[in-house]
Amino acid sequence: MAAHFGRLRKGATTTAVAAVAVAALSASQAPGVTTDDLGRQAAGAAQPSGDANTGGEGGGATGDSPYYTDLPPLKSPNPSPSASPTTGTTVSVGEAEAGIPATVLDAYKKAEAELRASKPGCNLPWQLLAAIGKVESGQARGGRVDANGTTYSPILGPKLDGNGFALIADTDNGAYDGDPAYDRAVGPMQFIPSTWEWAGRDGNGDGKKDPNNVYDAALAAGHYLCRFDRDLSVQSQMNAAILNYNNSTAYLNTVLSWLEYYRKGTHEVPDGTGTLPSNSSNSHPGASPSPSTPATPSTPSTPSKPSTPSTPKPGSGGSTSPTPKPPAPSSPAPSPTPPTPTQTVDHLEDANTGKLTATAGSAFGTKVAVRAESKASKGVAKVRVRFTIIGDTDATFTGGESVATVVTGSAGTATAPALVAGEKAGDFTVRATVVGRVLGGLDYTATVTPRQADTLTRTSDTALTCVPGGEFADQVELKATYKGAVAGKVAATATLIKSADDATENDKGPYFKDADGKTIRTLTDLTTDADGVLKLPKLYADDATGTFLLRVNTTGGAVLTVELKVAAAAS
């Protein structure tokens, strides 16, 4: 690799502030990592062996392409908790550098959640993806992405033609990077095409693996970092993963700087408003564009005619001067960037969402639906709407998630996945917000009612009898139904009562025993099984004789009274 990798750009910030930050992080490098005098990792240092897919001759996911060298402020974000109007969760308010565009932040967190499920031993923190995204592309150029997370224009690094960079001849016929001669790093996480071919992932579920989509790229980066059964909670293994991504110790230190900064607090900012880095590791004279700059084909220049020397004037000494050239025409001012659909949203309106009620364990019959509208109350398409379940509940959306993001259709409507009630009864809230805008959301109250039974019957008609001081041979077994169907997991209570007209607990006659063998005559926290069956513990008799009553009640109003007879044995 060329010697410029891993060094700050000539003329970039190299003050004592930056030097102290890098030096402080150098102590956390992986054991055994050695560097040459140019700050590059020595060949083979801290790299796992036996990987057939190393991502090109340049090494790493990026082919060791240039990266942004800007360091975070030494002053931490000093987060103070506040409620996010977008998500309803507590977030940190900090400096501008701590802000991450909403869709980009969502992509990092979704990638972390997927890796937590598929590779729990990796312990990937989303802040590491954010740190790499900052260094590689300035968080997708400050969050210039559409509703699906795709950048508005490709993010391309310089061509890896061996001129100050790695030499990686074209591997994709220009399919990803538009260059049929040499490879270029592509997208928010700067994958070279040969690496993306095997490492690419579909992070937003659209059936495509697009390196210019922040959801796809973030998930691919997460899997790339988690290779070789790494545990990123171990510092040496995290360092090795970062170095494997881009083979430079200065790159490692820069990423670790941003990781530490983001861990101290971040906050969500609207898409397209993130801060952009300015300094690149690409510092040698005549270098190609810095990373994250889209390649623009150059216009071939028209060969100029040879200049005709002017006739020397008498007494001029025979000197000649070239004919002066006219000044080059100034470039036209760039046209203003049109607003994104998200930026045109003024508010959310309800889209005929019905009453949200369900019995525990069942699906809600109604889905939450909202409409994103402009100031003129027109529906806005291609806007991401986030639905979040808030409150003390175990209800989820279909698939088991508590957060779902849906893109609005042509009419501006987004419908959340179906809600599924858990076992916890009570009210909770579903909040709808626009991703990438700080706007008021819509809250919907959903209610989960307990499972119910309207009928209780005994499963046997055998008489329940016992002698004084003995135990009943048969246990009481009941079956619960609701509207003729099995009523499983229904709560019930059993009490030995004084009489049919007095439901207070009896102080004599049959009884149950608790775990310590003590007498009890009321059982709570009973539940029918999946088949609606409830089998009570064994009953015992004291010295009192006669006919006694056991009453069982369920949620929903089912009641059954069972007779228990205690009599002396016949002589």
Side-chain angles (χ1 to χ4, degrees):
M1 294 306 301
H4 73 278
F5 283 110
R7 297 180 295 169
L8 294 176
R9 189 176 84 175
K10 187 176 182 180
T13 303
T14 55
T15 62
V17 171
V20 169
V22 173
L25 282 159
S26 296
S28 64
Q29 293 177 25
V33 174
T34 58
T35 60
D36 61 17
D37 59 349
L38 297 173
R40 298 169 301 184
Q41 184 185 1
Q47 295 299 326
S49 60
D51 179 24
N53 298 317
T54 56
E57 295 174 23
T62 69
D64 295 342
S65 291
Y67 57 91
Y68 287 118
T69 58
D70 298 51
L71 292 170
L74 286 182
K75 183 180 178 182
S76 72
N78 294 324
S80 59
S82 68
S84 164
T86 306
T87 62
T89 59
T90 299
V91 298
S92 299
V93 177
E95 299 182 29
E97 287 289 359
I100 299 178
T103 298
V104 180
L105 180 60
D106 187 52
Y108 295 149
K109 291 186 176 181
K110 274 186 165 54
E112 180 198 57
E114 196 278 341
L115 267 298
R116 191 187 305 124
S118 62
K119 295 183 179 180
C122 179
N123 295 306
L124 171 75
W126 65 261
Q127 292 91 341
L128 177 57
L129 296 176
I132 291 175
K134 179 71 172 182
V135 170
E136 294 293 351
S137 69
Q139 311 297 18
R141 297 197 203 101
R144 293 292 299 162
V145 296
D146 64 17
N148 294 314
T150 303
T151 58
Y152 286 117
S153 58
I155 301 177
L156 300 175
K159 63 175 62 178
L160 300 175
D161 57 3
N163 181 23
F165 307 107
L167 175 58
I168 305 180
D170 176 67
T171 61
D172 66 331
N173 293 320
Y176 294 121
D177 56 15
D179 192 328
Y182 299 98
D183 273 351
R184 296 171 179 245
V186 183
M189 305 304 276
Q190 289 288 279
F191 279 94
I192 56 174
S194 56
T195 302
W196 183 262
E197 189 61 31
W198 60 267
R201 295 290 192 281
D202 177 13
N204 62 352
D206 63 357
K208 297 184 294 184
K209 299 176 183 178
D210 182 1
N212 284 300
N213 181 278
V214 69
Y215 286 95
D216 296 357
L219 183 58
H223 278 279
Y224 188 94
L225 294 165
C226 288
R227 295 184 306 157
F228 310 115
D229 294 324
R230 289 190 181 109
D231 180 357
L232 300 186
S233 65
V234 178
Q235 189 63 53
S236 61
Q237 295 190 39
M238 176 183 284
N239 292 355
I242 297 170
L243 287 168
N244 197 211
Y245 203 90
N246 192 314
N247 192 10
S248 161
T249 304
Y251 178 87
L252 166 68
N253 290 334
T254 306
V255 169
L256 290 177
S257 296
W258 284 105
L259 170 63
E260 181 67 17
Y261 185 74
Y262 287 142
R263 276 177 163 167
K264 290 179 180 177
T266 62
H267 59 280
E268 180 181 287
V269 298
D271 290 342
T273 65
T275 58
L276 294 176
S278 57
N279 299 317
S280 168
S281 64
N282 182 17
S283 60
H284 68 287
S288 298
S290 298
S292 308
T293 302
T296 302
S298 59
T299 303
S301 58
T302 303
S304 60
K305 296 182 180 179
S307 59
T308 303
S310 60
T311 304
K313 294 181 181 180
S316 66
S319 63
T320 61
S321 61
T323 304
K325 296 179 180 179
S330 59
S331 300
S335 58
T337 303
T340 66
T342 300
Q343 292 170 333
T344 66
V345 177
D346 179 71
H347 59 277
L348 287 176
E349 285 289 336
D350 176 57
N352 298 318
T353 301
K355 190 174 182 181
L356 298 169
T357 58
T359 302
S362 63
F364 284 73
T366 301
K367 296 180 180 179
V368 178
V370 299
R371 188 170 185 257
E373 295 186 352
S374 64
K375 283 186 177 180
S377 296
K378 292 184 178 180
V380 183
K382 298 182 179 180
V383 173
R384 296 176 65 83
V385 176
R386 180 182 296 145
F387 298 93
T388 306
I389 295 175
I390 301 171
D392 184 17
T393 181
D394 54 354
T396 64
F397 292 113
T398 302
E401 299 292 334
S402 60
V403 177
T405 305
V406 180
V407 178
T408 58
S410 58
T413 301
T415 302
L419 284 164
V420 179
E423 295 302 323
K424 187 174 290 186
D427 293 342
F428 64 91
T429 299
V430 179
R431 178 167 296 164
T433 54
V434 177
V435 177
R437 288 298 305 275
V438 182
L439 297 173
L442 292 181
D443 284 351
Y444 295 85
T445 299
T447 302
V448 178
T449 59
R451 295 174 184 260
Q452 302 178 48
D454 55 17
T455 305
L456 275 174
T457 56
R458 281 191 63 196
T459 60
S460 169
D461 57 2
T462 303
L464 298 167
T465 61
C466 183
V467 297
E471 61 183 53
F472 287 81
D474 297 311
Q475 291 176 241
V476 178
E477 186 176 271
L478 312 171
K479 186 165 186 177
T481 56
Y482 181 70
K483 295 182 179 179
V486 168
K489 298 183 180 181
V490 175
T493 301
T495 305
L496 290 150
I497 60 176
K498 290 185 176 180
S499 69
D501 299 324
D502 185 355
T504 57
E505 182 181 286
N506 207 341
D507 55 2
K508 61 181 179 179
Y511 59 92
F512 300 105
K513 290 182 180 180
D514 64 12
D516 297 325
K518 295 181 181 178
T519 297
I520 56 172
R521 290 189 168 88
T522 298
L523 297 176
T524 58
D525 298 326
L526 300 173
T527 306
T528 62
D529 64 16
D531 296 322
V533 175
L534 175 63
K535 191 171 186 177
L536 300 181
K538 184 172 290 188
L539 279 161
Y540 301 87
D542 59 13
D543 293 335
T545 59
T547 299
F548 301 91
L549 300 178
L550 169 67
R551 181 161 291 172
V552 182
N553 301 272
T554 70
T555 303
V559 180
L560 179 66
T561 302
V562 180
E563 284 191 352
L564 305 171
K565 294 184 178 181
V566 180
S571 56

